[in-house]
Coordinates of all heavy atoms in Angstrom, one line a residue:
S364 N -1.2 7.8 -7.5 CA -2.5 8.5 -7.8 C -3.6 7.4 -8.0 O -4.2 7.3 -9.1 CB -2.3 9.4 -9.0 OG -1.6 10.4 -8.7
A365 N -3.8 6.5 -7.1 CA -4.7 5.5 -7.2 C -5.5 5.4 -5.8 O -5.1 5.8 -4.8 CB -4.0 4.1 -7.5
I366 N -6.8 4.9 -6.0 CA -7.6 4.7 -4.8 C -7.3 3.2 -4.4 O -7.4 2.3 -5.1 CB -9.1 4.8 -5.1 CG1 -9.4 6.2 -5.7 CG2 -10.0 4.5 -4.0 CD1 -10.8 6.3 -6.2
V367 N -6.9 3.1 -3.1 CA -6.7 1.7 -2.4 C -8.0 1.4 -1.7 O -8.4 2.2 -0.9 CB -5.5 1.7 -1.7 CG1 -5.3 0.4 -1.0 CG2 -4.3 2.0 -2.5
V368 N -8.5 0.1 -1.9 CA -9.5 -0.5 -1.2 C -9.1 -1.7 -0.5 O -8.8 -2.7 -1.0 CB -10.7 -0.8 -2.0 CG1 -11.8 -1.4 -1.3 CG2 -11.2 0.5 -2.9
S369 N -8.8 -1.5 0.8 CA -8.2 -2.6 1.7 C -9.3 -3.3 2.5 O -10.0 -2.8 3.1 CB -7.1 -2.0 2.7 OG -6.5 -3.1 3.3
V370 N -9.3 -4.7 2.3 CA -10.3 -5.5 2.8 C -10.1 -6.0 4.3 O -9.0 -6.4 4.5 CB -10.6 -6.6 1.9 CG1 -11.9 -7.4 2.4 CG2 -10.8 -6.2 0.4
Y371 N -11.1 -5.6 5.1 CA -10.9 -6.3 6.5 C -11.3 -7.8 6.4 O -12.4 -8.2 6.4 CB -11.8 -5.6 7.5 CG -11.4 -4.2 7.9 CD1 -11.8 -3.1 7.2 CD2 -10.6 -4.1 9.1 CE1 -11.4 -1.8 7.6 CE2 -10.3 -2.8 9.5 CZ -10.7 -1.8 8.8 OH -10.2 -0.4 9.1
L372 N -10.2 -8.7 6.3 CA -10.5 -10.1 6.1 C -10.9 -10.8 7.3 O -10.3 -10.5 8.4 CB -9.2 -10.8 5.4 CG -8.8 -10.1 4.1 CD1 -7.3 -10.5 3.8 CD2 -9.7 -10.5 3.0
R373 N -11.7 -11.8 7.3 CA -12.0 -12.7 8.4 C -10.7 -13.5 8.7 O -10.0 -13.9 7.7 CB -13.1 -13.6 8.1 CG -14.5 -12.8 8.5 CD -15.7 -13.7 8.0 NE -15.7 -14.0 6.5 CZ -16.6 -15.0 6.1 NH1 -17.2 -15.7 6.7 NH2 -16.4 -15.1 4.7
L374 N -10.5 -13.8 9.9 CA -9.3 -14.5 10.3 C -9.4 -15.8 10.8 O -10.6 -16.2 11.4 CB -8.5 -13.7 11.4 CG -8.1 -12.3 11.2 CD1 -7.7 -11.5 12.3 CD2 -7.2 -12.2 9.9
A375 N -8.5 -16.8 10.6 CA -8.5 -18.2 11.1 C -7.9 -18.0 12.5 O -7.1 -17.1 12.7 CB -7.7 -19.1 10.2
P376 N -8.1 -19.0 13.5 CA -8.9 -20.2 13.3 C -10.4 -20.1 13.4 O -11.1 -21.0 12.9 CB -8.3 -21.2 14.4 CG -7.9 -20.2 15.4 CD -7.4 -18.9 14.7
E377 N -10.9 -18.9 13.7 CA -12.3 -18.8 13.8 C -12.9 -18.9 12.4 O -14.1 -19.4 12.3 CB -12.7 -17.4 14.4 CG -12.2 -17.2 15.9 CD -10.9 -16.3 15.8 OE1 -10.0 -16.6 14.9 OE2 -10.7 -15.5 16.7
H378 N -12.3 -18.5 11.5 CA -12.7 -18.5 10.1 C -11.7 -19.1 9.2 O -10.9 -18.4 8.7 CB -13.2 -17.1 9.6 CG -14.1 -16.4 10.6 ND1 -15.5 -16.7 10.6 CD2 -14.0 -15.4 11.5 CE1 -16.1 -16.0 11.5 NE2 -15.2 -15.2 12.0
R379 N -11.7 -20.4 9.0 CA -10.7 -21.0 8.3 C -10.9 -20.6 6.7 O -12.1 -20.2 6.3 CB -10.7 -22.5 8.3 CG -10.1 -23.0 9.7 CD -10.3 -24.5 10.0 NE -9.7 -24.8 11.2 CZ -8.6 -25.3 11.4 NH1 -7.7 -25.7 10.3 NH2 -8.0 -25.6 12.6
L380 N -9.9 -20.9 5.9 CA -10.1 -20.7 4.5 C -11.2 -21.7 3.9 O -11.3 -22.8 4.6 CB -8.7 -21.0 3.8 CG -7.6 -20.0 4.0 CD1 -6.3 -20.5 3.6 CD2 -8.0 -18.7 3.4
P381 N -12.0 -21.3 2.9 CA -11.8 -20.2 2.1 C -12.4 -18.9 2.5 O -12.7 -17.9 1.8 CB -12.5 -20.6 0.9 CG -13.7 -21.5 1.4 CD -13.2 -22.2 2.6
A382 N -12.7 -18.6 3.9 CA -13.3 -17.4 4.4 C -12.6 -16.1 3.8 O -13.4 -15.3 3.2 CB -13.4 -17.4 5.9
A383 N -11.4 -16.0 3.9 CA -10.7 -14.8 3.4 C -10.8 -14.7 1.9 O -10.9 -13.5 1.3 CB -9.2 -14.8 3.9
I384 N -10.8 -15.7 1.2 CA -11.0 -15.7 -0.3 C -12.4 -15.2 -0.6 O -12.5 -14.3 -1.4 CB -10.8 -17.1 -0.9 CG1 -9.3 -17.6 -0.6 CG2 -10.9 -17.1 -2.4 CD1 -9.0 -18.9 -0.9
D385 N -13.4 -15.7 0.1 CA -14.8 -15.2 -0.1 C -14.9 -13.8 0.2 O -15.5 -13.1 -0.6 CB -15.7 -16.0 1.0 CG -15.8 -17.6 0.5 OD1 -15.4 -17.9 -0.5 OD2 -16.3 -18.3 1.6
D386 N -14.2 -13.2 1.3 CA -14.2 -11.8 1.6 C -13.6 -11.0 0.4 O -14.2 -9.9 0.1 CB -13.5 -11.6 2.8 CG -14.2 -12.1 4.1 OD1 -15.5 -12.4 3.8 OD2 -13.7 -12.3 5.1
G387 N -12.4 -11.5 -0.1 CA -11.8 -10.7 -1.1 C -12.7 -10.7 -2.4 O -12.8 -9.6 -3.1
F388 N -13.3 -11.9 -2.7 CA -14.2 -12.0 -4.0 C -15.5 -11.0 -3.6 O -15.9 -10.3 -4.6 CB -14.6 -13.4 -4.2 CG -15.4 -13.5 -5.4 CD1 -14.7 -13.4 -6.7 CD2 -16.8 -13.8 -5.4 CE1 -15.5 -13.6 -7.8 CE2 -17.5 -14.0 -6.5 CZ -16.9 -13.8 -7.7
S389 N -16.0 -11.0 -2.5 CA -17.1 -10.1 -2.2 C -16.8 -8.7 -2.3 O -17.6 -7.9 -2.8 CB -17.6 -10.3 -0.7 OG -17.9 -11.7 -0.4
A390 N -15.6 -8.2 -2.0 CA -15.2 -6.9 -2.2 C -15.1 -6.6 -3.8 O -15.6 -5.5 -4.2 CB -13.8 -6.7 -1.6
L391 N -14.7 -7.5 -4.4 CA -14.7 -7.2 -5.9 C -16.1 -7.2 -6.6 O -16.4 -6.4 -7.4 CB -13.9 -8.5 -6.6 CG -13.4 -8.2 -8.0 CD1 -12.6 -7.0 -8.2 CD2 -12.7 -9.5 -8.5
M392 N -17.0 -8.0 -6.0 CA -18.5 -8.0 -6.4 C -19.0 -6.7 -6.0 O -19.9 -6.1 -6.7 CB -19.3 -9.2 -5.8 CG -18.8 -10.5 -6.4 SD -19.2 -10.7 -8.1 CE -17.6 -10.4 -8.8
W393 N -18.7 -6.1 -4.8 CA -19.2 -4.9 -4.3 C -18.8 -3.7 -5.3 O -19.5 -2.9 -5.8 CB -18.7 -4.6 -3.0 CG -19.0 -3.2 -2.4 CD1 -20.3 -2.8 -2.0 CD2 -18.1 -2.1 -2.1 NE1 -20.2 -1.4 -1.6 CE2 -18.9 -1.1 -1.7 CE3 -16.7 -2.0 -2.3 CZ2 -18.4 0.1 -1.3 CZ3 -16.2 -0.9 -1.9 CH2 -17.0 0.3 -1.4
L394 N -17.5 -3.8 -5.8 CA -17.0 -2.8 -6.8 C -17.9 -2.9 -8.1 O -18.2 -1.9 -8.7 CB -15.5 -3.1 -7.2 CG -14.5 -2.6 -6.2 CD1 -13.1 -2.8 -6.7 CD2 -14.7 -1.2 -5.8
R395 N -18.2 -4.2 -8.4 CA -19.0 -4.3 -9.7 C -20.3 -3.7 -9.5 O -20.9 -3.1 -10.4 CB -19.2 -5.9 -9.9 CG -20.0 -6.1 -11.3 CD -20.1 -7.6 -11.6 NE -21.1 -8.3 -10.6 CZ -21.5 -9.5 -10.8 NH1 -21.1 -10.2 -11.8 NH2 -22.5 -10.0 -9.9
S396 N -21.0 -3.9 -8.3 CA -22.2 -3.2 -8.0 C -22.2 -1.8 -8.0 O -23.2 -1.1 -8.4 CB -22.9 -3.9 -6.8 OG -22.2 -3.4 -5.6
L397 N -21.1 -1.1 -7.4 CA -20.9 0.2 -7.5 C -20.8 0.7 -9.0 O -21.5 1.7 -9.4 CB -19.7 0.7 -6.9 CG -19.5 0.5 -5.4 CD1 -18.2 1.1 -4.8 CD2 -20.6 1.2 -4.6
G398 N -20.0 0.0 -9.9 CA -19.9 0.3 -11.3 C -21.1 0.2 -12.0 O -21.4 1.0 -12.9
Q399 N -22.0 -0.8 -11.6 CA -23.3 -1.0 -12.4 C -24.3 0.0 -11.9 O -25.3 0.5 -12.6 CB -23.9 -2.2 -12.0 CG -23.1 -3.5 -12.9 CD -23.5 -4.7 -12.4 OE1 -24.2 -5.0 -11.3 NE2 -23.1 -5.7 -13.2
G400 N -24.1 0.7 -10.6 CA -24.9 1.8 -10.2 C -26.4 1.5 -9.9 O -27.2 2.2 -9.9
H401 N -26.6 0.2 -9.7 CA -28.0 -0.3 -9.4 C -28.5 0.3 -8.0 O -29.3 1.1 -7.9 CB -28.1 -1.8 -9.4 CG -27.9 -2.4 -10.8 ND1 -28.3 -1.7 -11.9 CD2 -27.3 -3.5 -11.2 CE1 -27.9 -2.3 -13.0 NE2 -27.3 -3.4 -12.7
D402 N -27.9 -0.3 -7.0 CA -28.4 0.2 -5.7 C -27.3 0.5 -4.7 O -27.5 0.8 -3.6 CB -29.4 -1.0 -5.1 CG -28.6 -2.4 -5.1 OD1 -27.4 -2.4 -5.5 OD2 -29.3 -3.3 -4.8
S403 N -26.0 0.4 -5.2 CA -24.9 0.7 -4.4 C -24.2 2.0 -4.9 O -24.2 2.3 -6.1 CB -23.8 -0.5 -4.5 OG -24.3 -1.6 -4.2
Y404 N -23.8 2.9 -3.9 CA -23.0 4.1 -4.2 C -22.0 4.4 -3.1 O -22.4 4.3 -1.9 CB -24.1 5.2 -4.4 CG -23.5 6.5 -4.7 CD1 -23.0 6.9 -6.0 CD2 -23.3 7.6 -3.6 CE1 -22.5 8.1 -6.2 CE2 -22.9 8.7 -3.9 CZ -22.4 9.0 -5.2 OH -21.8 10.3 -5.4
E405 N -20.9 4.7 -3.6 CA -19.8 5.1 -2.6 C -19.1 6.2 -3.3 O -18.5 6.1 -4.3 CB -18.8 3.9 -2.4 CG -18.1 4.0 -1.1 CD -17.1 5.4 -1.0 OE1 -16.4 5.5 -2.0 OE2 -17.2 6.0 0.0
P406 N -19.3 7.4 -2.7 CA -19.0 8.8 -3.5 C -17.4 8.7 -3.9 O -17.2 9.1 -5.0 CB -19.2 9.8 -2.4 CG -19.6 9.2 -1.1 CD -20.0 7.8 -1.5
W407 N -16.5 8.3 -3.1 CA -15.2 8.3 -3.4 C -14.9 7.5 -4.7 O -14.2 7.8 -5.6 CB -14.2 7.9 -2.3 CG -14.1 8.9 -1.2 CD1 -14.7 10.2 -1.2 CD2 -13.2 8.9 -0.1 NE1 -14.4 10.8 0.0 CE2 -13.4 10.1 0.6 CE3 -12.3 7.9 0.5 CZ2 -12.8 10.3 1.9 CZ3 -11.7 8.1 1.6 CH2 -11.9 9.4 2.4
L408 N -15.3 6.3 -4.6 CA -15.1 5.4 -5.8 C -15.9 5.7 -7.0 O -15.6 5.7 -8.2 CB -15.5 3.8 -5.3 CG -14.3 3.3 -4.4 CD1 -15.0 2.1 -3.6 CD2 -13.2 2.9 -5.3
N409 N -17.3 6.1 -6.8 CA -18.2 6.3 -7.9 C -17.6 7.7 -8.6 O -17.9 7.8 -9.8 CB -19.6 6.5 -7.5 CG -20.2 5.0 -7.3 OD1 -20.3 4.5 -6.2 ND2 -20.5 4.3 -8.3
N410 N -17.2 8.6 -7.9 CA -16.8 9.9 -8.4 C -15.4 10.0 -9.0 O -15.2 10.6 -10.1 CB -17.0 11.0 -7.5 CG -18.4 11.3 -7.0 OD1 -19.3 11.0 -7.7 ND2 -18.6 11.8 -5.8
Y411 N -14.6 9.2 -8.4 CA -13.1 9.3 -8.9 C -12.5 8.0 -9.3 O -11.4 8.1 -9.9 CB -12.4 9.9 -7.6 CG -12.9 11.0 -7.0 CD1 -13.3 11.0 -5.6 CD2 -13.1 12.3 -7.6 CE1 -13.9 12.2 -5.0 CE2 -13.7 13.3 -7.1 CZ -14.0 13.4 -5.8 OH -14.6 14.4 -5.2
G412 N -13.2 6.8 -9.1 CA -12.5 5.6 -9.5 C -12.8 5.1 -10.9 O -13.9 5.3 -11.4
D413 N -11.7 4.5 -11.5 CA -11.8 4.0 -12.8 C -12.1 2.5 -12.6 O -11.2 1.7 -12.5 CB -10.6 4.3 -13.6 CG -10.6 3.8 -15.1 OD1 -11.6 3.2 -15.4 OD2 -9.6 4.0 -15.8
F414 N -13.4 2.1 -12.9 CA -13.7 0.6 -12.9 C -13.1 -0.1 -14.0 O -13.1 -1.4 -13.8 CB -15.3 0.5 -12.8 CG -15.9 1.1 -11.5 CD1 -16.4 2.4 -11.5 CD2 -15.8 0.3 -10.3 CE1 -16.9 2.9 -10.3 CE2 -16.3 0.9 -9.1 CZ -16.8 2.2 -9.1
N415 N -12.6 0.5 -14.9 CA -11.9 -0.3 -16.0 C -10.5 -0.7 -15.7 O -9.9 -1.4 -16.5 CB -12.1 0.6 -17.4 CG -11.8 -0.2 -18.6 OD1 -12.1 -1.4 -18.7 ND2 -11.0 0.2 -19.4
R416 N -10.0 -0.1 -14.6 CA -8.6 -0.4 -14.2 C -8.5 -0.8 -12.8 O -8.2 -0.1 -12.0 CB -7.8 0.7 -14.5 CG -7.6 1.0 -16.0 CD -6.6 2.2 -16.2 NE -5.2 1.9 -15.9 CZ -4.5 2.9 -15.4 NH1 -4.9 4.1 -15.1 NH2 -3.2 2.5 -15.1
V417 N -9.0 -2.0 -12.4 CA -9.0 -2.6 -11.1 C -7.8 -3.6 -10.9 O -7.7 -4.4 -11.8 CB -10.3 -3.2 -10.7 CG1 -10.2 -3.8 -9.4 CG2 -11.5 -2.1 -10.7
F418 N -7.0 -3.3 -9.9 CA -5.9 -4.2 -9.6 C -6.1 -4.9 -8.3 O -6.8 -4.3 -7.4 CB -4.6 -3.4 -9.7 CG -4.2 -2.8 -10.9 CD1 -4.7 -1.6 -11.3 CD2 -3.3 -3.4 -11.8 CE1 -4.4 -0.9 -12.5 CE2 -2.9 -2.8 -12.9 CZ -3.6 -1.6 -13.4
L419 N -5.5 -6.1 -8.1 CA -5.5 -6.8 -6.8 C -4.1 -6.8 -6.4 O -3.1 -7.1 -7.2 CB -6.0 -8.2 -7.0 CG -7.3 -8.5 -7.7 CD1 -7.7 -10.0 -7.7 CD2 -8.5 -7.8 -6.9
I420 N -3.9 -6.5 -5.1 CA -2.5 -6.6 -4.5 C -2.6 -7.3 -3.3 O -3.6 -7.0 -2.4 CB -1.8 -5.2 -4.5 CG1 -0.4 -5.3 -4.1 CG2 -2.6 -4.2 -3.4 CD1 0.4 -4.0 -4.2
G421 N -1.7 -8.0 -2.8 CA -1.7 -8.7 -1.5 C -0.3 -8.9 -1.0 O 0.6 -9.2 -1.7
D422 N -0.2 -8.7 0.3 CA 1.1 -9.0 1.0 C 1.0 -10.5 1.6 O 0.1 -10.8 2.3 CB 1.3 -8.2 2.2 CG 0.8 -6.7 2.0 OD1 1.5 -5.9 1.4 OD2 -0.2 -6.5 2.5
S423 N 2.1 -11.2 1.3 CA 2.3 -12.5 2.0 C 1.0 -13.3 1.8 O 0.5 -13.7 0.6 CB 2.6 -12.3 3.5 OG 3.0 -13.5 4.1
S424 N 0.3 -13.9 2.8 CA -0.8 -14.7 2.6 C -1.9 -13.9 1.8 O -2.8 -14.5 0.9 CB -1.6 -15.1 3.9 OG -1.7 -13.9 4.7
G425 N -1.9 -12.5 1.7 CA -2.8 -11.8 0.8 C -2.4 -11.9 -0.6 O -3.3 -11.8 -1.5

Side-chain angles (χ1 to χ4, degrees):
S364 288
I366 301 174
V367 175
V368 178
S369 185
V370 186
Y371 283 89
L372 302 162
R373 281 174 295 168
L374 302 175
E377 301 96 322
H378 306 281
R379 287 177 180 260
L380 291 169
I384 300 169
D385 294 342
D386 291 346
F388 186 70
S389 295
L391 197 54
M392 291 296 99
W393 175 69
L394 282 184
R395 182 180 76 171
S396 71
L397 292 182
Q399 290 171 343
H401 295 325
D402 49 8
S403 307
Y404 177 75
E405 201 299 308
W407 286 2
L408 286 158
N409 283 101
N410 293 337
Y411 310 120
D413 183 354
F414 292 97
N415 192 46
R416 291 181 67 216
V417 174
F418 295 83
L419 305 179
I420 192 169
D422 324 278
S423 192
S424 54

